[in-house]
Amino acid sequence: MRKHDVVIVGAGLAGLRAALELAGKVDVAVVSKVYPSRSHSGAAQGGVAAAMANESDDSPELHMYDTVKGSDYLGDQDAIEIMTHDAPITITEMEHLGCVFSRDAEGRIAQREFGGHSKPRACYAADRTGHAMLHTLYEQSFKYKKDITFYNEWYLLDLIYQDGSARGIVAMDMKTGDIEVIHAKAVLFGTGGYGRAYKITSNAFANTGDGIMAAYRAGLPLEDMEFVQFHPTGLYQQGILMSEAARGEGGYLLNGNMERFMERYAKSRMELAPRDIVSRAEQSEINEGRGAGPNKDYIYIDLRHLGREKILEKLPQIRQLAIDFLGVDCIDNPIPIQPTAHYSMGGIPASKDCEVYSDEKGTIVKGFYAAGECSCISVHGANRLGTNSLLDATVFGRRAGKSILNYLVGAKHEPVNEAEEKRKARKRIDDLLYTPSTESANNIRNELKEAMTTNVGVYRDKERLAAAHKKLKELQQRFTKVRVEDKGKVFNTEIIEALELANMLAYSELIIAGAEARTESRGAHARVDYPTRDDVNWMKHTMVSAGADGAIQLKYKPVVVTKHQPEERKY
């Protein structure tokens, strides 16, 4: 049995920032199914939010208000206050660790405008901000080779959770196919989001909800799963992100008639309205026949007026992506785009100190923590503002590290039945390898993505959600006969993809269940049949869990309101 003080699952910003907080003080393991520098945090482009006082009238208080309003008042305000007030400290620490941010004329960290923020507070490194931050933290971890053990290309199978405490994990070494138990006094999940259930998504292939579903299978609830954010500017038919920085630098959105249509939807903020509003505006233009292209199924982002010099200096990556994938150079032509599944507001319920809750009453699981996109703390509520995700992951990765250090003072390794944990994990894999197999995993995956995109996308209603639920039940039944042809052990990516598909099928049902029950429109959850926000009945978080018979149970807990009472959300 492998044994460490702390095991962190996920090597993105949340996991690595927590590891650095713990390094040199305790024995830390970091488990990642991809090489750490390939973690999805590196795909974030436009910036990380902080009221750095570049604008004399900006403040953490104003950042807090913008975030609460952006969340459509579903965000927990005590947690939002911590995140926005910790932001300047966190960015300064990142700079001192060596993160190379872009600079303004005065030599300060440069800041640009972003959707839903009332001031320019997106600190950035050209349009590769997540990449710069991720690589900074990973290179810093090499200082602590004796204190941090990396298990790269290990796949999480199970959380070991017993008698109210987390005791470690079960994981597969992808290089050998061996199943191993990693015993720990404390476990932190920083495993990212769950956007791969959608056909058009900006999410990496790795974002298949492995962490959230390990928690769910262990008997823990998940929070606000119905809230999936669609980013307005994904490359047409690819979903690859065209950073919000493009609009922050002054890009226009145009429909098929070459009109700047955002005036109809958010007159004061135009292209810099929050993402849920812009995505709905785009989808409305397409649905009403004003899209571009032969099928009128996309719109444009136009950067031509910014000029070659500004594009090459501040938006080099998105220019190259458009050239590589669509053959369009944004210096000369507008880029075809469409809404793309982007960010998961829901996840593992956790406190301001990243301690995981086991129920809607706030009972804390001993030794289990969550941070970053897999967590629901909930600082984003029903809709995340751009640049708040890198901030969330870094602030709460840091807080998780501090919280775990406090916990470890009196903690010990609780007993673990290694043989039984391995047996349960082995059975899941053997059931896939050796049961009668007639179904293609690829077909099931594609049909799932189509159903989720068509019926549980930017707009939803009772009939479409019911159709998605029916289709999902059919796909889950077909998955029991899924075919895995590779029976080998070494880098068996086919079995990994089958395990990931099982997770996708399971959490997609949780998204649908929460969406069917929530009879209102709030943030990223937009129901055509219930078009208004209902604060009387729905100012609450969804808590979804599995009953004794495995059936989905929905419970609710109140939103934490401290300073800002709900009001109509206008831009």
Side-chain angles (χ1 to χ4, degrees):
M1 183 188 296
R2 297 165 189 266
K3 190 176 279 195
H4 300 274
D5 292 324
V6 184
V7 61
I8 297 170
V9 187
L13 286 189
L16 289 179
R17 185 63 189 84
L20 286 181
E21 200 66 30
L22 294 159
K25 307 175 186 84
V26 294
D27 172 24
V28 182
V30 177
V31 175
S32 177
K33 76 174 181 182
V34 298
Y35 194 73
S37 58
R38 288 185 56 228
S39 296
H40 194 51
S41 298
Q45 297 168 334
V48 54
M52 298 295 288
N54 288 16
E55 296 279 326
S56 59
D57 56 347
D58 197 10
S59 67
E61 282 294 325
L62 187 55
H63 186 185
M64 176 186 176
Y65 172 72
D66 289 344
T67 300
V68 171
K69 182 180 177 183
S71 80
D72 219 348
Y73 294 90
L74 197 74
D76 286 335
Q77 294 181 25
D78 53 349
I80 292 171
E81 185 165 13
I82 286 170
M83 181 179 77
T84 55
H85 283 70
D86 277 6
I89 301 162
T90 303
I91 299 308
T92 303
E93 283 182 347
M94 283 301 304
E95 184 187 30
H96 291 174
L97 287 171
C99 187
V100 183
F101 290 106
S102 297
R103 298 282 159 178
D104 65 12
E106 283 78 44
R108 302 171 301 189
I109 293 174
Q111 295 188 287
R112 57 166 57 119
E113 288 200 79
F114 245 71
H117 291 276
S118 55
K119 302 290 175 184
R121 62 171 71 99
C123 308
Y124 62 92
D127 58 352
R128 302 184 180 95
T129 313
H131 180 92
M133 294 176 71
L134 177 69
H135 281 252
T136 297
L137 292 180
Y138 188 47
E139 70 185 22
Q140 286 294 318
S141 74
F142 282 88
K143 286 182 182 176
Y144 301 100
K145 283 190 172 181
K146 293 179 181 176
D147 306 302
I148 305 176
T149 303
F150 281 93
Y151 294 90
N152 297 332
E153 297 177 319
W154 282 52
Y155 181 75
L156 172 69
L157 293 169
D158 290 304
L159 169 70
I160 301 173
Y161 171 64
Q162 187 179 332
D163 298 330
S165 72
R167 304 181 179 192
I169 64 164
V170 185
M172 180 197 294
D173 181 351
M174 293 160 66
K175 293 181 285 293
T176 64
D178 293 338
I179 295 172
E180 301 278 2
V181 168
I182 303 178
H183 196 184
K185 299 174 186 175
V187 178
L188 168 65
F189 276 9
T191 53
Y194 47 88
R196 288 307 301 182
Y198 288 85
K199 181 179 179 181
I200 304 296
T201 178
S202 65
N203 279 212
F205 282 96
N207 284 19
T208 52
D210 307 324
I212 61 168
M213 290 317 298
Y216 188 80
R217 283 195 306 274
L220 296 170
L222 299 175
E223 182 174 348
D224 287 344
M225 290 291 290
E226 63 267 36
F227 293 104
V228 179
Q229 180 178 81
F230 283 76
H231 195 290
T233 54
L235 267 183
Y236 175 58
Q237 292 188 331
Q238 308 293 324
I240 298 165
L241 197 61
M242 295 285 98
S243 171
E244 194 165 323
R247 286 173 284 137
E249 295 294 345
Y252 299 153
L253 294 177
L254 305 175
N255 62 18
N257 303 325
M258 304 309 279
E259 301 171 310
R260 280 184 76 187
F261 57 86
M262 280 309 300
E263 188 172 8
R264 286 195 278 274
Y265 303 93
K267 193 178 179 79
S268 70
R269 295 294 290 161
M270 293 293 285
E271 285 86 0
L272 289 174
R275 290 172 177 173
D276 60 326
I277 292 172
V278 181
S279 290
R280 284 195 294 275
E282 291 178 355
Q283 197 62 51
S284 295
E285 292 293 303
I286 292 167
N287 292 351
E288 292 167 19
R290 294 186 293 276
N295 299 318
K296 297 192 173 186
D297 58 348
Y298 60 82
I299 52 111
Y300 293 113
I301 184 162
D302 189 3
L303 307 177
R304 292 173 294 178
H305 56 286
L306 301 182
R308 169 181 288 270
E309 186 178 337
K310 188 170 186 177
I311 289 170
L312 292 180
E313 178 194 352
K314 296 192 172 180
L315 303 168
Q317 181 175 232
I318 71 163
R319 173 180 179 254
Q320 196 60 50
L321 287 168
I323 290 170
D324 290 346
F325 287 90
L326 292 185
V328 173
D329 188 338
C330 63
I331 291 172
D332 304 311
N333 295 289
I335 305 170
I337 55 167
Q338 67 186 127
T340 181
H342 180 60
Y343 189 85
S344 316
M345 271 77 74
I348 302 168
S351 74
K352 302 183 295 293
D353 292 316
C354 307
E355 304 153 307
V356 172
Y357 294 134
S358 65
D359 55 37
E360 74 282 1
K361 298 169 190 169
T363 306
I364 289 171
V365 178
K366 252 176 75 179
F368 188 30
Y369 300 80
E373 193 173 352
C374 75
S375 70
C376 187
I377 286 177
S378 146
V379 286
H380 308 303
N383 173 67
R384 176 177 70 74
L385 292 189
T387 71
N388 271 353
S389 63
L390 293 181
L391 180 64
D392 165 22
T394 313
V395 164
F396 289 102
R398 177 178 181 265
R399 285 183 72 85
K402 293 179 184 298
S403 185
I404 290 168
L405 276 178
N406 288 336
Y407 171 76
L408 289 177
V409 171
K412 64 180 190 298
H413 285 99
E414 301 285 351
V416 168
N417 185 335
E418 183 177 6
E420 176 61 13
E421 296 296 340
K422 284 185 175 182
R423 185 199 64 77
K424 288 188 294 185
R426 184 79 256 166
K427 183 178 186 304
R428 280 179 59 215
I429 292 167
D430 287 348
D431 284 348
L432 290 168
L433 287 171
Y434 303 118
T435 50
S437 51
T438 55
E439 291 285 348
S440 159
N442 202 44
N443 289 347
I444 294 172
R445 187 185 302 106
N446 289 339
E447 289 178 46
L448 168 68
K449 289 169 177 285
E450 192 69 50
M452 291 297 287
T453 298
T454 303
N455 297 312
V456 201
V458 174
Y459 284 113
R460 305 162 175 186
D461 60 41
K462 182 179 179 180
E463 288 71 28
R464 279 185 280 189
L465 290 169
H469 215 153
K470 182 180 178 184
K471 182 64 176 178
L472 197 71
K473 285 298 187 187
E474 175 209 313
L475 294 175
Q476 287 173 339
Q477 183 58 38
R478 284 166 55 189
F479 183 77
T480 61
K481 297 178 181 177
V482 77
R483 183 170 65 251
V484 178
E485 293 181 348
D486 185 351
K487 311 297 183 185
K489 294 187 74 175
V490 177
F491 272 113
N492 187 339
T493 55
E494 192 178 1
I495 192 67
I496 298 294
E497 288 174 5
L499 291 163
E500 291 173 332
L501 179 56
N503 288 332
M504 291 160 64
L505 289 166
Y507 72 66
S508 293
E509 186 174 14
L510 306 185
I511 294 171
I512 295 166
E516 285 181 310
R518 188 172 284 273
T519 51
E520 65 159 357
S521 287
R522 185 186 296 269
H525 172 68
R527 285 192 59 159
V528 195
D529 46 354
Y530 295 95
T532 56
R533 196 179 79 197
D534 180 0
D535 288 339
V536 174
N537 296 303
W538 288 105
M539 188 73 175
K540 56 190 179 184
H541 297 293
T542 305
M543 299 287 278
V544 59
S545 57
D549 58 353
I552 292 171
Q553 293 185 334
L554 296 177
K555 296 181 181 178
Y556 296 91
K557 71 173 184 178
V559 176
V560 178
V561 177
T562 57
K563 295 182 176 180
H564 303 291
Q565 293 301 316
E567 58 188 37
E568 188 180 356
R569 189 165 166 250
K570 291 180 180 177
Y571 290 95

